[in-house]
Amino acid sequence: LARASTVTSRSERGACMSVTVVVGTQWGDEGKAKVIDLLAASHTIVARYQGGHNAGHTVVIGDQKYALQLTPSGVFYDTVTPVIGNGVVVDLPTLFKEIDSLESRGISTARLKVSSLAHLIFPWHQAIDAALEAARGDSKIGTTLKGIGPAYVDKVKRAGIRVGEVLNITSFEAKVRERAVAARREVSDIGGDTFDIDQVVSDFVAYAQRLAPYVADTVNLLHDARERGEHILLEGAQATFLDVDHGTYPYVTSSNPIAGGAAVGTGLGPRHIDRVVGIAKAYTTRVGMGPFPSELTDDLGDKLVDIGREFGTVTGRRRRTGWLDTVMLRHAMRVNSLTEIALTKLDVLDTFEEVKVCVAYKINGEIVRNYPDTVERLAQVEPVYETLAGWMSSTEGITEFSQLPRTAQDLVKIVERETGIPVSMVGTGPARDSMVVR
Ligand code: GDP
Ligand code: IMO
Ligand code: MG
């Protein structure tokens, strides 16, 4: 905890209030939750701003490991109010399962607030997600099948049901029934699994009653806290290259994980954001389909999976792995206005004889430094690598930059050189305190 407070106090340099966004710079699972858990010690609010239970955020505290899908990663501090912001799509069965699991492990969720403006996920969204994926055949996206895309479609179509509506149970029940009838028709039209309308309605009336005490006007809650001088942390799910606008479309999620999404998804204004921490793994992983220039499909890729334990928290799928790609990080720096990078999982590279970093792309023999704007162009790129001799010694648990092996320091410096921003943290293990803070 002492270390965690140092992280924030050093970077805030005496500011009386601050809003910090934590955002993924690759394709997810960069270790966002660990950094949020570390920073949360000196913040009073941690708010999720987009996505839903497609996220799997792992926090390791002592010998305990927690995998969170919806609850903000600040929940482990009794000084923090965890907030599910308006930009999130909320699956109530998952939320309550998570609350029960945390409570059974002695973690209080009583302070949790859920935005009245957030949208709800219903079973038909999952049925539609599955049916659409099946219909896509070989060109499937590889979604988490959690109904995220279809729930956002209903939001944009202005056909969604929002969290605040649970406060009037009679109209909520009528609305769920009306939507369920229409959705069942849609689901059967596209060959999806059908569902029992009465069962869904009665389940959701019970969920609604349980949700009511958590419902809040989180937009004003966040502004009031900020104006009182409190420090707020905004937790991104997914990542820059899964962003529906800036990612590798159509192999993306249906929300805006980039830092701009934090304003949309919480109601804080863009000028209220003071600091944007981009989380980058010291190599790259991706779950699901889509182009991946620095992918390793050989033994080295398997080694990254084994040592980095690269299996999805939510779906258990094996993650695709490859070398670090600074063309991506430079683009992430631009679209998120990153102020710094936290480079995680450096220790996973400890036993690699060579460590490569992609620093540019070649398309038809020509060097390209900007990230291509279509997946078709991205599929044509050939990565240009800088190769470092592996350090071949353990970095696990190191907390001082000067203690890192020379070539490990060189890797950090390449990231700084290519992005033009500082690497303020370096991850050296899953545990809360396995982190170099500079
Ligand atoms: P998130 O979705 O970005 O929060 O990341 P995940 O929790 O899905 O995946 C990151 C995984 O790496 C988790 O199992 C973490 O416990 C683990 N992790 C985080 N930082 C480090 C690190 O510096 N070293 C190692 N070895 N593991 C880490
Ligand atoms: P965190 O927050 C990694 C991927 C899915 C799929 C695509 C679309 O833990 O980093 P969706 O179900 O969102 O419609 O799937 O996005 N995906 C993730 N990959 N980490 C995540 O979250 C992800 N959330 C979604 O694998 O390729
Ligand atoms: Mg994850």
Side-chain angles (χ1 to χ4, degrees):
L1 283 189
R3 169 156 296 278
S5 322
T6 328
V7 179
T8 318
S9 57
R10 268 189 211 162
S11 59
E12 273 159 15
R13 297 190 179 89
C16 65
M17 59 174 78
S18 74
V19 176
T20 297
V21 178
V22 172
V23 59
T25 61
Q26 295 157 326
W27 283 293
D29 306 320
E30 297 92 349
K32 297 177 288 293
K34 181 188 151 180
V35 174
I36 287 155
D37 171 60
L38 192 66
L39 294 174
S42 49
H43 290 72
T44 52
I45 295 181
V46 178
R48 275 276 306 267
Y49 59 83
Q50 45 64 240
H53 64 313
N54 48 349
H57 291 181
T58 316
V59 175
V60 178
I61 305 170
D63 60 359
Q64 296 292 306
K65 183 169 166 172
Y66 302 89
L68 304 170
Q69 290 178 262
L70 272 169
T71 312
S73 303
V75 68
F76 304 101
Y77 297 87
D78 56 16
T79 46
V80 166
T81 300
V83 169
I84 294 181
N86 58 273
V88 175
V89 284
V90 184
D91 184 74
L92 294 178
T94 304
L95 180 66
F96 294 129
K97 213 168 115 190
E98 202 159 278
I99 287 175
D100 291 342
S101 162
L102 286 166
E103 292 285 344
S104 75
R105 297 174 71 181
I107 309 296
S108 171
T109 55
R111 298 172 314 281
L112 179 70
K113 306 281 180 228
V114 185
S115 170
S116 53
L117 308 184
H119 281 247
L120 293 172
I121 297 184
F122 289 92
W124 51 83
H125 294 129
Q126 277 131 21
I128 294 169
D129 201 350
L132 293 178
E133 278 287 83
R136 286 181 190 116
D138 285 346
S139 51
K140 71 174 180 183
I141 294 163
T143 76
T144 59
L145 303 176
K146 301 293 183 191
I148 305 295
Y152 278 116
V153 166
D154 273 353
K155 170 178 170 172
V156 174
K157 233 166 64 174
R158 293 153 294 182
I161 301 181
R162 302 209 283 189
V163 162
E165 300 187 53
V166 306
L167 299 178
N168 181 337
I169 211 72
T170 313
S171 66
F172 177 78
E173 179 171 358
K175 210 163 188 178
V176 174
R177 184 174 295 282
E178 182 196 317
R179 292 292 149 77
V181 169
R184 204 169 68 166
R185 241 180 277 126
E186 184 184 344
V187 168
S188 72
D189 281 353
I190 58 172
D193 287 342
T194 187
F195 54 89
D196 180 337
I197 292 175
D198 289 331
Q199 185 67 51
V200 171
V201 172
S202 78
D203 288 351
F204 274 77
V205 164
Y207 291 138
Q209 280 158 339
R210 192 170 171 195
L211 183 65
Y214 297 99
V215 179
D217 170 4
T218 59
V219 176
N220 283 307
L221 179 151
L222 288 163
H223 281 280
D224 288 343
R226 183 182 166 275
E227 287 162 17
R228 280 196 303 270
E230 295 184 25
H231 301 318
I232 299 170
L233 205 49
L234 305 182
E235 174 174 1
Q238 291 82 51
T240 304
F241 293 92
L242 288 172
D243 185 282
V244 68
D245 286 88
H246 298 282
T248 47
Y249 192 90
Y251 304 102
V252 292
T253 193
S254 300
S255 67
N256 289 112
I258 62 161
V264 176
T266 60
L268 288 165
R271 288 203 304 121
H272 297 143
I273 297 170
D274 304 287
R275 180 185 179 198
V276 184
V277 185
I279 315 300
K281 220 178 266 198
Y283 49 99
T284 309
T285 64
R286 167 163 214 168
V287 207
M289 310 305 282
F292 181 170
S294 65
E295 184 167 16
L296 287 165
T297 49
D298 56 8
D299 296 353
L300 289 175
D302 292 339
K303 187 170 168 179
L304 284 171
V305 172
D306 290 344
I307 301 178
R309 303 208 181 107
E310 296 298 348
F311 292 93
T313 327
V314 175
T315 56
R317 285 179 293 175
R318 182 188 191 283
R319 295 178 185 142
R320 298 158 64 193
T321 53
W323 295 119
L324 183 63
D325 181 341
T326 61
V327 183
M328 293 177 74
L329 300 192
R330 207 163 40 229
H331 196 66
M333 179 273 292
R334 288 180 161 181
V335 298
N336 294 294
S337 62
L338 298 182
T339 54
E340 66 205 87
I341 285 177
L343 192 69
T344 62
K345 302 190 86 161
L346 182 80
D347 55 294
V348 173
L349 300 176
D350 284 350
T351 60
F352 283 71
E353 282 169 11
E354 275 186 341
V355 173
K356 293 192 182 188
V357 188
C358 170
V359 292
Y361 295 154
K362 257 187 196 171
I363 300 183
N364 298 327
E366 215 172 288
I367 295 282
V368 173
R369 296 186 71 79
N370 281 346
Y371 201 75
D373 61 350
T374 64
V375 283
E376 288 76 17
R377 256 167 71 74
L378 190 61
Q380 292 168 15
V381 310
E382 189 192 318
V384 176
Y385 289 111
E386 207 164 301
T387 303
L388 298 168
W391 46 92
M392 301 296 282
S393 64
S394 174
T395 59
E396 174 112 33
I398 290 179
T399 56
E400 289 298 325
F401 189 72
S402 61
Q403 301 296 304
L404 290 175
R406 257 305 266 293
T407 40
Q409 294 188 13
D410 289 344
L411 179 65
V412 172
K413 287 175 189 159
I414 290 174
V415 172
E416 293 184 325
R417 183 193 74 205
E418 294 299 319
T419 59
I421 52 171
V423 172
S424 58
M425 292 172 249
V426 182
T428 55
R432 201 181 233 182
D433 51 4
S434 294
M435 187 75 100
V436 171
V437 179
R438 301 169 78 198

